[in-house]
Amino acid sequence: MSPIPDKAHSLVHVTDLVVDFGETRAVDRLSFTLDRGAALGLVGESGSGKSTVASALLGLHRGTGANVGGEVRVGGIDVQEASGAELRRLRGGKAAMVFQDPLSSLDPYYAVGDQIAEVYRVHTGASRRAARARAVEVLDRVGIADAVRRARSRPHEFSGGMRQRALIAMALACEPELLIADEPTTALDVTVQAQILDLLHVLRAETGMGLLLVTHDVGVAAESVDDVLVMRYGRSVERGPVREVLGAPREAYTRELLGAVPRVDSPREASAPVRGDVVLEAVGLRREFGRGKRAFPAVDGVSLTVRRGETLGIVGESGSGKTTLGRMLVGLLDPSAGEIRHGGDPSPGGVRAGVQMVFQDPVSSLNPRRAVGESIADPLRARGEHDDAVVRARVRALMERVGLDPAYYGRYPHEFSGGQRQRVGIARALAAEPRVIVCDEPVSALDVTTQAQVTALLAELQEEHGLALVFIAHDLAVVRQVSDRVAVMRQGRIVEQGSVDEVYGAPRQAYTKQLLAAVPALDPEAAARRRTARGELAAA
């Protein structure tokens, strides 16, 4: 075991950190160091304690009722013993944090530039004019085009990737020694994710700041850090150079974590051609939003077919029209032009029981004031089943089939994990006995092991019931794993479609090649080569 560096020379020095929330121990005697200018990835499943550790570095548990023990030093400051004034100097001055959801981290009422300027003024005492100039400077530095004008924009006027860049700009304003990035790319599509990771790499090289990256995505860690610390149940499972940990993991749990990661280049089992009847067909679908001169097509002339027993994957960047298309297929949106056919018959419009949807965010798609059992029962009652005993028996059977304890019928959504809530959504969709299920980003917010469990469940249900699946996702590796055919969308149109092997093995369109090149690589050397290639392409 290598000697522990002198805490005086480490940027971050954590010794025997313990964090308890009531009777729950979230972090259990964790120790690690991070040197100045180095990058460390905290990797693990949801609930492993990663974000709790990140918050402890800035003293964010103070006043929350959490019980924090052990020693935490950041930039020479003892976080546990620091006064309120010292903590304020630490946050933003010596260390800054970029959170997972930039929309909830930015004030919707104030211009982005004003928010960055305010942070700069608080920590430096600069004048308003100097602070505004600094805000424009850092926005330009993180790649926001026309930074002078965009500094006056409010958060809702920025895309997801731009909002994340704005948060990074805010973090950089006071030139911190440490940047803590907590799942900074989870909600972003692959190309924007690659841009953010490339940006963090460049900023580290230029500023010499240290980086603590919290992520459940092992590929993101491979792209971004020097060392990896794998966490489970609040404890350290394995730590070492990223090349060693990902290339030759010592611990069984690390190997299990890596085994669950979907890859675009891994061998696939050959699947038999799908020859089932066409159960869903879209012909020339178009959907416009806005009116008059401001109208724009979110989906523009899309035609596709879905057969019984097959999975059609739909991929593309945010704003490509994937979700709008999915909502039209289900009947939640009516097309402006074109038609949808079910079993060859034109649809009269509206939601049909034969096509159900599993949404991206199971929290917002479930009523927080209703027991999950009642939410699953809704399709049964909508079909006219009023015998309460029959409904409850059917719901319990569905819960058991999707891997939930039927005894949880009366529990509420907040009592379930993210993966469990997604299983509730799948059970609710199955209750209507559909022929087609449209899955809109069903695993994008889940860690890799939970992703694997949910996609395996969908495959089992498809086999049992002969379901057709439309799997909408920005994660090309997941889509490759689950799909028979793939359609690539860009700016509301399908630019390429075919079998998985055709589209992934020999893409015809430059856009498809660009998407595939942005997928994180588990090999750090391959990740570095891809980063260089992306930089050359951007400079060309």
Side-chain angles (χ1 to χ4, degrees), residues 401-403 423 426 452-462:
R401 179 60 197 89
V402 300
R423 290 172 186 267
I426 294 170
Q453 293 163 5
V454 171
T455 55
L457 171 62
L458 287 170
E460 291 171 8
L461 295 170
Q462 182 177 40

Side-chain angles (χ1 to χ4, degrees), residues 32-34 38-42 211-213 225-229 239:
F32 67 90
T33 58
L34 174 63
L40 172 66
L42 293 185
L211 173 67
L212 182 76
L213 177 68
V225 300
D226 309 312
D227 293 294
V228 174
L229 192 161
R239 177 178 179 176

Side-chain angles (χ1 to χ4, degrees), residues 50-58 60 91-92 95-100 105 167-168 170-171 176 178-182 214:
K50 309 183 302 294
S51 293
T52 304
V53 172
S55 295
L57 297 187
L58 293 180
L60 296 179
R91 299 167 184 167
M97 196 163 185
V98 176
F99 294 92
Q100 176 176 347
S105 302
L167 274 190
I168 294 173
M170 185 181 293
L178 171 67
L179 181 66
I180 303 169
D182 187 3
V214 176

Side-chain angles (χ1 to χ4, degrees), residues 185-410:
T185 62
T186 295
L188 305 178
D189 60 56
V190 287
T191 51
V192 179
Q193 173 177 269
Q195 292 166 10
I196 295 298
L197 296 179
D198 290 350
L199 172 62
L200 291 176
H201 179 80
V202 170
L203 292 173
R204 276 187 60 216
E206 291 183 352
T207 67
M209 69 179 180
L211 173 67
L212 182 76
L213 177 68
V214 176
T215 180
H216 67 253
D217 191 325
V218 182
V220 167
E223 291 263 352
S224 312
V225 300
D226 309 312
D227 293 294
V228 174
L229 192 161
V230 180
M231 291 187 65
R232 189 184 196 191
Y233 303 142
R235 300 176 181 176
S236 172
V237 174
E238 183 167 359
R239 177 178 179 176
V242 63
R243 184 176 291 102
E244 294 179 10
V245 173
L246 301 188
R250 300 186 307 272
E251 301 298 327
Y253 175 70
T254 309
R255 292 193 292 272
E256 179 184 323
L257 201 62
L258 287 167
V261 177
R263 310 185 189 193
V264 293
D265 55 357
S266 60
R268 290 179 75 249
E269 292 184 9
S271 57
V274 177
R275 304 187 186 281
D277 297 333
V278 173
V279 292
L280 182 64
E281 186 176 8
V283 181
L285 285 189
R286 181 181 176 90
R287 174 69 194 203
E288 294 181 350
F289 291 101
R291 294 181 179 180
K293 294 182 179 180
R294 294 187 177 183
F296 70 94
V299 173
D300 188 8
V302 167
S303 298
L304 54 83
T305 58
V306 187
R307 295 181 178 273
R308 184 178 185 274
E310 81 163 336
T311 299
L312 172 66
I314 299 179
V315 300
E317 296 174 285
S318 298
S320 62
K322 306 186 302 296
T323 292
T324 300
L325 173 61
R327 288 176 178 267
M328 284 194 288
L329 295 178
V330 175
L332 292 174
L333 286 174
D334 292 328
S336 305
E339 69 176 11
I340 297 169
R341 300 170 184 166
H342 297 269
D345 299 323
S347 172
V351 178
R352 293 172 63 107
V355 185
Q356 292 292 305
M357 196 164 201
V358 175
F359 295 90
Q360 175 178 356
D361 182 6
V363 176
S364 61
S365 63
L366 294 171
N367 188 330
R369 298 183 179 181
R370 298 187 71 211
V372 297
E374 289 304 306
S375 291
I376 296 171
D378 283 342
L380 297 172
R381 301 191 195 281
R383 292 169 58 191
E385 181 56 72
H386 301 300
D387 187 320
D388 196 55
V390 172
V391 169
R392 284 180 172 269
R394 175 62 176 150
V395 169
R396 287 192 168 96
L398 285 168
M399 292 180 71
E400 185 171 20
R401 179 60 197 89
V402 300
L404 295 171
D405 189 337
Y408 294 169
Y409 185 107

Side-chain angles (χ1 to χ4, degrees), residues 434-479:
R435 293 182 297 171
V436 183
I437 295 181
V438 177
C439 303
D440 185 12
E441 299 279 8
V443 297
S444 63
L446 306 178
D447 59 58
V448 289
T449 50
T450 309
Q451 277 186 4
Q453 293 163 5
V454 171
T455 55
L457 171 62
L458 287 170
E460 291 171 8
L461 295 170
Q462 182 177 40
E463 182 71 22
E464 288 176 16
H465 302 284
L467 294 169
L469 298 178
V470 178
F471 198 96
I472 298 169
H474 64 252
D475 190 327
L476 277 77
V478 173
V479 169

